[in-house]
Amino acid sequence: MNFIQTTIKKSLGFILGATMAATTAQAGPLEDRVEAGEPIRLGFAAAPPWAYAGDDGAAKGFVNDITIDVLKRMGHTDVEPVLTDWAGLIPSLNASRVDIVTGGMYVLAARCANMDFSEPIGVFGDAFVVPAGNPKGVSTYQDIIDQDLIMVSPSGYNTIADAKAAGVPTGNIMEVPGTTEMLAAIRAGRADAGATNALEAQRVADMSDAVEMTDPLAFPPESRTPVAVGFHTDDDAFREAFNAALAEYLGSDEMMAKVAQENYIPAFLPDGQTTAEACKAN
């Protein structure tokens, strides 16, 4: 082999190697983990019925059920549950401590700026949890403002930003780690109403005769927001494959039979809403 042939061979080898490296880089960290035989780490907070850990530590809740079933359809069955605080979900994803984020994650512009979402797995609204009998007649954020009441909501929930946007002063908003603490604040009289999504509000109301849920329809229609599954911004290819499998699974008899036990009903299915539109609108 002469000098020219040797030079060409080395150049081709360099180009091929660079191309392969670029292809690997484009695959994304999640696909790299799957290729290496490592489990897909599913990050979620304790937020029943959306997501929570079972007695055996398994990922439960309808968002986890949907996500795990879609992953199975993609051929991925090695899933590792990672339970964390709600406020730590997106930081954990961006720090690569988890690979996918589930739970009742509303598609909001602020979140879209920090991670990517799948297409919606459902569309949901909000409600208040109030003392039984609703003695102060709370049904909207304006009631909180007019009566100078204290509202409580889990940290990181969309209801905090919504309340502020509606004009509720920051000093009238109490943030707590989760819905258990929200219920405790209402029962102890430290808060007059708790704001959360309607599914969680109903679950909290069912936990105690001392509280009840207000009418979700009292909230403005725009409070109904798509919920989706979160992915790292480098995992476009995996997310697109997930979306393709999700489109076939969403609303199927298999899905509805499984999620019915967590109070997910057909009315929650997306009706043409898209993640791209939600990221711009919310």
Side-chain angles (χ1 to χ4, degrees):
M1 185 181 293
N2 61 34
F3 174 78
I4 294 177
Q5 290 174 320
T6 301
T7 302
I8 292 174
K9 183 176 180 180
K10 288 182 178 179
S11 298
L12 288 174
F14 174 80
I15 293 171
L16 178 60
T19 301
M20 291 177 66
T23 301
T24 301
Q26 291 170 1
L30 180 47
E31 287 189 334
D32 289 345
R33 283 182 59 83
V34 171
E35 286 293 325
E38 298 181 41
I40 295 174
R41 298 164 300 180
L42 202 64
F44 58 94
W50 308 86
Y52 58 96
D55 293 338
D56 59 353
K60 301 292 185 180
F62 70 79
V63 185
N64 280 335
D65 286 341
I66 291 171
T67 303
I68 291 171
D69 275 0
V70 171
L71 289 173
K72 285 180 181 177
R73 287 185 171 225
M74 296 170 64
H76 307 306
T77 58
D78 190 4
V79 177
E80 176 185 321
V82 181
L83 182 65
T84 187
D85 290 334
W86 178 266
L89 287 174
I90 297 177
S92 292
L93 180 67
N94 289 330
S96 297
R97 292 191 291 271
V98 299
D99 305 302
I100 297 176
V101 168
T102 61
M105 189 70 72
Y106 280 21
V107 181
L108 305 174
R111 292 172 181 162
C112 295
N114 289 286
M115 68 175 183
D116 288 337
F117 282 101
S118 70
E119 286 303 321
I121 58 94
V123 181
F124 307 88
D126 298 324
F128 283 119
V129 177
V130 295
N134 196 5
K136 296 187 178 178
V138 178
S139 61
T140 67
Y141 291 124
Q142 190 61 45
D143 294 325
I144 301 291
I145 297 169
D146 291 344
Q147 300 183 58
D148 194 26
L149 304 178
I150 298 298
M151 184 199 94
V152 60
S153 187
S155 261
Y157 274 33
N158 68 288
T159 43
I160 294 174
D162 290 348
K164 291 178 180 179
V168 177
T170 301
N172 290 62
I173 300 173
M174 178 190 302
E175 295 189 37
V176 292
T179 51
T180 300
E181 294 82 2
M182 183 181 77
L183 173 59
I186 298 167
R187 294 190 61 178
R190 292 183 288 112
D192 301 293
T196 182
N197 60 79
L199 271 170
E200 287 188 15
Q202 184 60 65
R203 184 188 66 84
V204 172
D206 289 343
M207 291 169 58
S208 172
D209 291 336
V211 297
E212 64 183 52
M213 179 181 78
T214 62
D215 182 3
L217 296 180
F219 276 67
E222 56 268 25
S223 71
R224 281 177 48 81
T225 307
V227 166
V229 177
F231 291 86
H232 194 281
T233 54
D234 289 337
D235 286 325
D236 288 350
F238 194 97
R239 177 175 49 80
E240 288 169 6
F242 183 93
N243 279 336
L246 175 64
E248 296 182 356
Y249 178 74
L250 199 62
S252 66
D253 291 343
E254 176 189 356
M255 170 187 155
M256 298 311 295
K258 177 167 287 188
V259 299
Q261 60 189 334
E262 300 287 0
N263 295 326
Y264 185 111
I265 59 177
F268 294 147
L269 286 167
D271 184 22
Q273 295 91 343
T274 68
T275 289
E277 291 170 346
C279 283
K280 295 177 181 178
N282 298 303

